[in-house]
Structures are given as structure tokens and as C-alpha cells.
């Protein structure tokens, strides 16, 4: 995992350029386009889906995110896909998950980068075409060992 | 008799201050620990991870200077890995290290003495054995326990707490007391108050809770460990620790977040926090940490916007010297905030070692009349969460200079516990000991 | 940068679950997840280098697939849950945009 040889030696502080954030209007337009494409004309329903993300994230480089379909899959109804969007990231689409009905449930956790404080959106497309949505506004702070 | 005395004095002079040993005369304000030499002198106050790393790397840099380390302890006790020693996963030899050998190998003088004052205007350090002047001073005194936050100046309560419920965060016999406490615990509630950030780590308090829980579980001690955590959630490596608490020790560890200590009554075994009021049978009471006494004596403590002491040294974020004094460097846990983004570097052994190296390079560059080029540390910590099977988690921090000149931090938690991280932890420790203690 | 290929870290809550029990899998690989948006000290753009897909398959059938973009953190971490129905070999495969493939197989025995 860690590159130990690098850690054995000193290194010059490299210059990193912060990821440029994009203008709010464009960001929102891009997010809306993503959601529209994902929803396929349906109106997303604000129910049945949980988006668990810290309201104040201490480490913007690794914000834990859980997306969970509240109900288990039933014979007729399962979840086909999750879409996760961070609308003020330089690339708003963060990731997608596709589920087989054999999973029996949809509950995933990952860690994402957030360029700044913003609204994070999770969407689910159900096998019957229904679209579920959940939005959470996240404030980015910094913590680490010494937050 | 006279011959023997002369012999002892001559022998002692090579490793320690001659006057104090040769004759029991009182040390006065004019007693010299060492006369001024010909080469520039670098005095290192504190021979812990940061101080000894700096001394060792001044040698590696070929710095043409006399290097003197002032350390009050006669032996080196490693706080990293010490939690594993508490439950006999490691033996004492692992933590206990000789300091004389490295001092001879790396050409610095090690003097066992207590730093009692630092007069920066005169460029002298006062010690219990006399004064010493310096050209460059490295202050690496580590931390002190800030019991005053709980007890004000109630010395009776402080002394009782220190003895009955030691914190075990400095290199001293408190570790033995905690080990005995764990081994002799018959059951009941064991409370841990976590120091608020920024605090020294290692030993990691969450790791300490895990190894204790593992020990109690293994020996079927009906114990409950209550962690009073001032933070809103477990961090860093919150996922890995939470998984360990919930999956390995659900009946033993209770983690209470947002528990800022309001009142400690060590005599009646009671603690009041902002989240809960707890009675305990035994405890490890870890008060807030502050920079060591010597930093206060050197008048290097920073001030907050409203004029209160930050309790840590105010430093130049990249040049690592005191804000107001370019000849005084600060290494290790004494260091104040370095970034608006993340505040403090982790007060870890890895960072202390790394900053020790960097400061050695900076001073060597200055002695050679070269330009000082910014270097940044990184950090690496491993925490054992289970004694059998042996499993650990890890966290890594990387730092970068941003275009605006500030330092940015990247944190990577490895919170899937595994055996190979235990192996990496050992490799890390051996590499570190090998760097400045071998 | 972190080493490019390494053994993935896998943790499974229960390798011998009862039928119908929920199994949690935690999986992590070492990868820089270079966004392609950063510049180095010489003001040159550091090219994008990310893990693009993760797939968990059993007997050739895809159970879960994950499409990653630069927003996913360094050393991509994934935790997922599924309902155990039958004994299976779970194959997990990460593929990066430079062709790097990391693969591992874990056996779940339903009792």
C-alpha cells in the first residue's frame, strides 16, 4: 500500500494546483442535465433512499458517503442503478453503481473528494422505472488528527 | 581517595557536566555547563524522537558544528508501540533504547540534565547543571499535561489524579502503572478521557481502548471501557475504529462523542462532561496536552486572537523556526499550527522524526551559507485493534505547498483491519529506531 | 505516488453466513486516482490516471459494477452489502484507465 521508499527519503514540497471549481450556474446546469438523463423523463421521488454523508466533512479528500435503498429488493422490484453527483466538483458525476437483482439489496459506501462545500445528490433507478432522489448539503472543514 | 575522585571527574566530563558530579557545589546563575567552543554550537533541548532525529541528521548532513543534546531521562522509552507492550504483545526491550551509543556514533554530546530556562536575548539555555550558550537552538521538549484545565491550581487534586489515574503520554513510569492497572483490573467501569485535539499521538487513545478491551475479553474480565471523547465522532480512521468497537468489542467499549470534560472529581470517581455524567471504578484520565514547560519558559507560546495562550509554540510554517527568532527551531509536538486548512501537523513520532531531519538540513544549509529550500514532512501511523488475530489499521497524511504558499493536507485512512498492517507497523518502528537510535 | 499494483485489501463480515443473512464486503486497492486536473511544480498537467471500473461477479454473472470518476478518493474504498443465498466464489476486479487490472476471488459458503 504505502510507498515506503518514498517515505524513507525527504522530498521537496511539490506545487499542487487546486482543482478549479466551476461557476455555480454551469454546475447546476450540468447536474440537472445528468439527473434528467438518468431519470429518463420521470420526476424523482424524495423517498425510499438514504444518503448518509457528514454534514460537516473534516477531510475533503475522502468524505465517506453511503447510499442505501431503504427496502430490500422484492421479487418484482429491485434497484438497477445509483448515481452520485457532487454538483460543484469540476466533474460533477462522482460515480455510478449497477446492481443485479441477485444482490437482494442496495447499500454501498465509498469515499469521495469534494472541491468545496456543496450539495451532494444521490439518485436511484428502480426496476419499475421509478426514480428516487436524496440531496444533502455538505460543509467542508478540515480535521485530521488535530481537527 | 583523591586519585579516584579525579578519575571519576575526568571520566564523567566526556559524557556529562563535570562540575555537578565532581563536587556537590550548588549550581548558581553563573555555573557554566560547557565553555564556549570554537565551532558554532547547536543546542538541542529535549532528546526524544524529534531532538535525537535532529542530532542524528545534523551528523548525516555533515554540519560543521558542535551538537549538544540536553535530556532529563537516562534512557529512551518509545511511546510508539507502547500500547502493544501494555498487553504483552511486545516486551520491554522493544521500547527501551540506549542513548549513549547513538550519541557517540553520531558525534553529539548527550547531557542528562533538566532545562530550567531559555534566555533567547542572551542565547543561553539554563539547566539544573548550569548554563550553556548556543548559536542555534532546537526546542524539542514534547508535551506537558495540562491538568490546570480541570483543576486550576488545586495541586492536591492534580497530584492525586496523576498518581491514581495516570495519563501515560510521556516517557515515564506512568506506563508501568497503567500496565499494572490493566493486568490487575477485576472488572467494572474503566473510564478514559481523551485529550482534546491537538494532542500527542502515539500512544493512540483509541488503540489503547482496543488493546485493553482485547485483554479484558481474552481474560474474561467483566469490564466496560467508557471512552469520553470531546470530538463529535471518532477520528481519524473513524471507520476502522468504529468497526473494531462495534464488531470486536460491542459489550466492552462504549464510545461517547461530544464529551468535553466539565468537572473531574478523582476522589469520588466521578466525571461530568457535556455529553454524560460518569462514575467509574478505575480510569485513565488523559488531560489536555500543551507544549512542554521549556517552551513557556522560552516565551515561545503563541497567542489566540483574543490574547489567550495557544499552548503551543508559534512557528514559521515552512522554515520551522520561532516566528520571532530565526535561531530557535521547534521540532515535534511543541510545534504550533502551520496551516489555516488543517491547523497542526499530527503530533506523532513519524512527524517528529521527519521535522527533526528537515531542521537538520535547514541548519546545515545555513551553516554552509546555502539557500534554505522548503521541505515538508508526511505522516504514517498504525494502530493495533486486535491482539489475536493481530490486526491493525492505518492512516497516512501527505502535505503539499499550494500556489498561494500555504500547506495543504491529504489524509488517507486504511480502515480495513488486517494482519499485514501489523507487519508494516513493526517495519515502520524498526526503520525509525534504526534511523536515530541504532 | 503510491505503488501502482498491490494486493487488494478485502474484509468480509461473515464467510460462512446462513441463507438470507446480510454479508458486508469492504474492499480497497492502492491507487493514486490522479484527477487529471492538477499541475506539477513545472505547471504541467499531471495526466489523469484513475481506476475506472470495479466489478464483482459470481459464476460469470455481474452482481455489482461500479463506475468511478476522478471524484473518488485516492486508494478507492468500497463497502457493499448483499443477501447470501448460495455458496459462491466472488470475483472482484478493478480496471484502471492505463490497463492496470487487479483481481481477487473470495469464497462465501452458505450454511
Amino acid at each position: 500500500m504505502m510507498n515506503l521508499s518514498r517515505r524513507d527519503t525527504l522530498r521537496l514540497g511539490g506545487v499542487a494546483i487546486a482543482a478549479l471549481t466551476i461557476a455555480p450556474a454551469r454546475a447546476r446546469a450540468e447536474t440537472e442535465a445528468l439527473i434528467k438523463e438518468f431519470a429518463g423523463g420521470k420526476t424523482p421521488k424524495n423517498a425510499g433512499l438514504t444518503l448518509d454523508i457528514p454534514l460537516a466533512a473534516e477531510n475533503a479528500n475522502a468524505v465517506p458517503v453511503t447510499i442505501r435503498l431503504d427496502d430490500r429488493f422484492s421479487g418484482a422490484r429491485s434497484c438497477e442503478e445509483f448515481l452520485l453527483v457532487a454538483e460543484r466538483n469540476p466533474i460533477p458525476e462522482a460515480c455510478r453503481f449497477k446492481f443485479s437483482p441477485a444482490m437482494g439489496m442496495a447499500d454501498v459506501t465509498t469515499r469521495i473528494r469534494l472541491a468545496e462545500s456543496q450539495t451532494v445528490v444521490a439518485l436511484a433507478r428502480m426496476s419499475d422505472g421509478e426514480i428516487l432522489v436524496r440531496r444533502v448539503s455538505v460543509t467542508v472543514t478540515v480535521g485530521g488528527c488535530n481537527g | 581517595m583523591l586519585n579516584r575522585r579525579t578519575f571519576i571527574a575526568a571520566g564523567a566530563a566526556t559524557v556529562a557536566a563535570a562540575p555537578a558530579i565532581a563536587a556537590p557545589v550548588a549550581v548558581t546563575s553563573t555555573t557554566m555547563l560547557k565553555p564556549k567552543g570554537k565551532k558554532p554550537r547547536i543546542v538541542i533541548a529535549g532528546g526524544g524522537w524529534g531532538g535525537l532525529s535532529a542530532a542524528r541528521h545534523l551528523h548525516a548532513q555533515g554540519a560543521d558544528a558542535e551538537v549538544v543534546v540536553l535530556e532529563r531521562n537516562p534512557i529512551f522509552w518509545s511511546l510508539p508501540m507502547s500500547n502493544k507492550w501494555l498487553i504483552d504483545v511486545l516486551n520491554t526491550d522493544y521500547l527501551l533504547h540506549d542513548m549513549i551509543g547513538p550519541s557517540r556514533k553520531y558525534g553529539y554530546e548527550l547531557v542528562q540534565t533538566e532545562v530550567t530556562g531559555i534566555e533567547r536575548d542572551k542565547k543561553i539555555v539554563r539547566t539544573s547543571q548550569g548554563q550553556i550558550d548556543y548559536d542555534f537552538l532546537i526546542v524539542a521538549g514534547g508535551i506537558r499535561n495540562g491538568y490546570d484545565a480541570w483543576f486550576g491550581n488545586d495541586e492536591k487534586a492534580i497530584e492525586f489524579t496523576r498518581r491514581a489515574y495516570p495519563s501515560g503520554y510521556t516517557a515515564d513510569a506512568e506506563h508501568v502503572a497503567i500496565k499494572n492497572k490493566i493486568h490487575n483490573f477485576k472488572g467494572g467501569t474503566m473510564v478514559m478521557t481523551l485529550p482534546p485535539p491537538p494532542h500527542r499521538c502515539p500512544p493512540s487513545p483509541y488503540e489503547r481502548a482496543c488493546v485493553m478491551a482485547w485483554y479484558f475479553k481474552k481474560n474474561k474480565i467483566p469490564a466496560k471501557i467508557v471512552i469520553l471523547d470531546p470530538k463529535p465522532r471518532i477520528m481519524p480512521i473513524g471507520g476502522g475504529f468504529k468497526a473494531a468497537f462495534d464488531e470486536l468489542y460491542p459489550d466492552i467499549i462504549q464510545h461517547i462523542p461530544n464529551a468535553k470534560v466539565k468537572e473531574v472529581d478523582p476522589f469520588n470517581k466521578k466525571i461530568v462532561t457535556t455529553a454524560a455524567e460518569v462514575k467509574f471504578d478505575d480510569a485513565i484520565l488523559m488531560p489536555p496536552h500543551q507544549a512542554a514547560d521549556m517552551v513557556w519558559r522560552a516565551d515561545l507560546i503563541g497567542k489566540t486572537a483574543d490574547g489567550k495562550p495557544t499552548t503551543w509554540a508559534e512557528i514559521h510554517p515552512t522554515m520551522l523556526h520561532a516566528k520571532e527568532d530565526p535561531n530557535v527551531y521547534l521540532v515535534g509536538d511543541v510545534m504550533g499550527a502551520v496551516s489555516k486548512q488543517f491547523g497542526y501537523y499530527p503530533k506523532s513520532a513519524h512527524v517528529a522524526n521527519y521535522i527533526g531531519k528537515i531542521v537538520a538540513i535547514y541548519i546545515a544549509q545555513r551553516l554552509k551559507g546555502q539557500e534554505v529550500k522548503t521541505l515538508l514532512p508526511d505522516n504514517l501511523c498504525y494502530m493495533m485493534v486486535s491482539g489475536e488475530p493481530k490486526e491493525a489499521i492505518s492512516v497516512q497524511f501527505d502535505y503539499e505547498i499550494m500556489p498561494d504558499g500555504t500547506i495543504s493536507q491529504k489524509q488517507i485512512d486504511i480502515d480495513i483491519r488486517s494482519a499485514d498492517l501489523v507487519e508494516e507497523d513493526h517495519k515502520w518502528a524498526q526503520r525509525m529506531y534504526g534511523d536515530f537510535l541504532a | 505516488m503510491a505503488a501502482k499494483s498491490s494486493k487488494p485489501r478485502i474484509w468480509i463480515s461473515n464467510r460462512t453466513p446462513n441463507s438470507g443473512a446480510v454479508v458486508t464486503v469492504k474492499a480497497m486497492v492502492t491507487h493514486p486516482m490522479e484527477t487529471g486536473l492538477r499541475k506539477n511544480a513545472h505547471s504541467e498537467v499531471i495526466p489523469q490516471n484513475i481506476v475506472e471500473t470495479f466489478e464483482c461477479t459470481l459464476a460469470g454473472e455481474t452482481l455489482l459494477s461500479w463506475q468511478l470518476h476522478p471524484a473518488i478518493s485516492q486508494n478507492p474504498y468500497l463497502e457493499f452489502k448483499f443477501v447470501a443465498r448460495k455458496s459462491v466464489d466472488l470475483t472482484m476486479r478493478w480496471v484502471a484507465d492505463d490497463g492496470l487490472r487487479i483481481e481477487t476471488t473470495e469464497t462465501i459458503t452458505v450454511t
Side-chain angles (χ1 to χ4, degrees):
Chain A
M1 35 147 291
M2 271 145 243
N3 187 338
L4 295 176
S5 60
R6 184 176 71 73
R7 266 159 206 281
D8 284 338
T9 54
L10 293 168
R11 85 204 139 94
L12 281 165
V15 177
I17 306 297
L20 297 169
T21 53
I22 50 179
R26 207 189 109 205
R28 225 167 291 127
E30 207 169 320
T31 303
E32 289 318 313
L34 265 173
I35 294 173
K36 210 170 145 189
E37 174 246 83
F38 184 85
K42 293 261 171 38
T43 304
K45 207 171 113 186
N46 196 355
L49 187 69
T50 299
L51 173 59
D52 194 358
I53 184 168
L55 301 180
E58 294 97 2
N59 178 8
N61 284 301
V63 183
V65 190
T66 298
I67 316 171
R68 183 188 310 125
L69 189 75
D70 295 348
D71 296 327
R72 297 260 184 106
F73 298 173
S74 65
R77 190 174 146 94
S78 65
C79 177
E80 288 180 347
E81 187 174 3
F82 282 167
L83 169 67
L84 183 66
V85 184
E87 65 176 27
R88 300 199 59 171
N89 270 8
I91 301 168
E93 180 170 331
C95 66
R96 288 169 190 259
F97 296 91
K98 290 197 174 90
F99 304 93
S100 137
M103 288 280 280
M105 60 194 296
D107 185 333
V108 290
T109 299
T110 185
R111 296 190 186 125
I112 63 169
R113 296 166 167 143
L114 292 179
E116 58 181 296
S117 298
Q118 56 179 297
T119 300
V120 174
V121 189
L123 292 125
R125 190 192 308 109
M126 303 302 293
S127 55
D128 59 10
E130 193 173 42
I131 304 294
L132 311 178
V133 67
R134 196 57 94 179
R135 290 169 199 267
V136 175
S137 173
V138 181
T139 306
V140 171
T141 61
V142 174
C145 273
N146 293 313
Chain B
M1 274 313 272
L2 282 175
N3 282 347
R4 192 170 151 266
R5 232 166 222 291
T6 315
F7 172 70
I8 290 171
T14 61
V15 290
I21 294 173
V25 262
V27 175
T28 70
S29 62
T30 55
T31 307
M32 298 296 286
L33 185 61
K34 276 180 74 66
K36 178 100 186 106
K38 289 198 183 74
K39 289 181 177 179
R41 179 182 287 162
I42 303 163
V43 171
I44 302 177
W49 283 71
L52 293 189
S53 296
R56 186 261 179 273
H57 286 277
L58 281 164
H59 181 262
Q61 291 300 313
D64 191 21
E66 179 197 359
V67 179
V68 182
V69 176
L70 311 173
E71 169 55 40
R72 65 182 168 198
N73 287 331
I75 49 157
F76 187 93
W77 177 259
S78 173
L79 292 170
M81 314 303 281
S82 67
N83 280 335
K84 274 83 94 174
W85 169 85
L86 290 177
I87 55 159
D88 304 318
V89 167
L90 297 178
N91 61 27
T92 305
D93 289 351
Y94 204 104
L95 305 181
L96 205 55
H97 295 267
D98 166 45
M99 298 165 84
I100 306 290
S103 74
R104 294 173 66 172
K105 186 169 165 187
Y106 302 124
Y108 58 86
E109 191 161 355
L110 178 68
V111 183
Q112 194 189 338
T113 189
E114 173 95 31
V115 172
T116 55
I118 293 171
E119 291 168 27
R120 292 190 288 115
D121 52 339
K122 298 190 190 113
K123 295 176 93 170
I124 60 170
V125 177
R126 291 194 181 279
T127 84
S128 53
Q129 298 191 45
Q131 69 185 53
I132 181 167
D133 54 300
Y134 63 81
D135 296 291
F136 291 104
L137 173 64
I138 296 175
V139 178
I143 62 153
R144 71 177 187 192
N145 285 313
Y147 284 110
D148 54 329
W150 293 350
F151 302 119
N153 56 6
D154 182 350
E155 284 300 328
K156 204 178 139 211
I158 292 173
E159 218 28 58
F160 184 83
T161 302
R162 197 190 293 279
R163 282 163 195 272
Y165 309 111
S167 166
Y169 259 103
T170 46
D172 54 37
E174 289 188 359
H175 294 269
V176 181
I178 291 176
K179 184 168 187 160
N180 289 339
K181 192 187 280 283
I182 295 169
H183 285 242
N184 297 331
F185 196 52
K186 297 283 180 278
T189 301
M190 174 80 83
V191 159
M192 298 172 76
T193 56
L194 266 50
H199 66 83
R200 168 176 281 181
C201 182
S204 154
Y206 298 127
E207 180 192 54
R208 194 179 268 178
C210 286
V211 298
M212 286 200 305
W214 176 79
Y215 185 88
F216 294 149
K217 188 174 157 185
K218 187 186 95 169
N219 294 292
K220 302 189 170 59
I221 311 285
K224 191 165 183 80
I225 299 168
V226 178
I227 304 171
L228 296 172
D229 191 344
K231 290 177 276 194
R233 66 186 70 83
I234 306 165
M235 61 183 188
I237 333 120
F241 277 121
K242 191 172 186 314
F245 294 174
D246 294 350
E247 292 158 9
L248 303 177
Y249 315 113
D251 303 325
I252 303 175
I253 295 181
Q254 185 190 1
H255 176 259
I256 303 180
N258 297 309
K260 296 190 177 79
V261 170
K262 283 165 72 180
E263 205 186 312
V264 179
D265 182 347
F267 306 104
N268 295 304
K269 301 184 176 186
K270 204 181 97 178
I271 297 173
V272 183
T273 73
T274 47
E277 198 174 308
V278 184
K279 298 273 281 178
F280 60 83
D281 298 298
D282 208 341
I284 298 174
L285 299 181
M286 303 178 252
H289 295 169
Q290 303 177 346
D293 286 340
M294 65 171 77
V295 185
W296 299 76
R297 290 184 183 133
D299 192 22
L300 290 169
I301 297 289
K303 283 205 167 52
T304 61
D306 53 356
K308 291 197 186 108
T310 61
T311 77
W312 303 101
E314 192 173 11
I315 64 167
H316 187 291
T318 53
M319 290 297 108
L320 305 171
H321 54 64
K323 199 111 182 182
E324 308 296 337
D325 192 337
N327 296 320
V328 175
Y329 286 89
L330 295 134
V331 168
D333 297 351
V334 297
M335 298 165 71
V338 293
S339 162
K340 278 208 169 66
Q341 185 224 2
F342 62 89
Y344 300 75
Y345 284 133
K347 297 193 179 297
S348 72
H350 187 102
V351 167
N353 167 263
Y354 215 133
I355 297 286
K357 277 188 217 176
I358 292 173
V359 164
I361 292 169
Y362 285 178
I363 293 177
Q365 284 169 337
R366 285 177 66 180
L367 286 171
K368 289 174 194 158
Q370 296 168 347
E371 186 198 346
V372 175
K373 290 196 192 110
T374 297
L375 295 166
L376 298 181
D378 58 23
N379 185 41
L380 186 54
C381 297
Y382 300 91
M383 279 76 40
M384 182 178 272
V385 292
S386 166
E388 192 57 52
K390 290 189 181 70
E391 289 175 329
I393 55 179
S394 170
V395 64
Q396 171 186 344
F397 292 81
D398 286 304
Y399 297 95
E400 283 178 322
I401 298 276
M402 302 309 282
D404 65 358
T406 61
I407 306 171
S408 131
Q409 172 179 277
K410 199 158 71 179
Q411 174 187 340
I412 299 157
D413 292 353
I414 311 278
D415 45 18
I416 299 177
R417 58 177 183 268
S418 67
D420 61 333
L421 289 176
V422 175
E423 291 310 308
E424 279 189 27
D425 192 12
H426 286 295
K427 282 185 199 148
W428 173 85
Q430 294 310 326
R431 197 170 71 247
M432 285 288 155
Y433 299 149
D435 180 58
F436 66 96
L437 290 171
Chain C
M1 275 301 133
K4 267 206 160 182
S5 90
S6 71
K7 189 169 70 79
R9 298 185 177 282
I10 307 290
W11 180 89
I12 295 176
S13 59
N14 186 356
R15 287 168 199 268
T16 55
N18 296 326
S19 180
V22 173
V23 176
T24 303
V25 179
K26 298 177 187 177
M28 183 178 192
V29 287
T30 301
H31 197 279
M33 292 298 285
E34 191 57 62
T35 60
L37 300 162
R38 303 195 316 143
K39 287 180 180 173
N40 66 16
H42 311 292
S43 295
E44 300 150 353
V45 172
I46 305 168
Q48 179 172 309
N49 176 209
I50 63 167
V51 173
E52 288 183 314
T53 59
F54 165 88
E55 261 194 331
C56 177
T57 60
L58 52 94
E61 184 203 351
T62 301
L63 193 64
L64 172 70
S65 74
W66 181 28
Q67 189 186 347
L68 296 78
H69 296 295
I72 302 302
S73 305
Q74 183 173 357
N75 298 353
Y77 175 87
L78 175 65
E79 188 177 322
F80 62 93
K81 294 179 197 291
F82 68 95
V83 182
R85 289 291 173 208
K86 55 182 180 189
S87 296
V88 288
D89 283 338
L90 285 180
T91 298
M92 287 176 255
R93 186 184 304 116
W94 291 257
V95 181
D97 51 10
D98 58 1
L100 172 80
R101 289 163 74 93
I102 303 170
E103 194 172 300
T104 187
T105 298
E106 302 283 340
T107 302
I108 308 282
T109 310
V110 172
T111 52

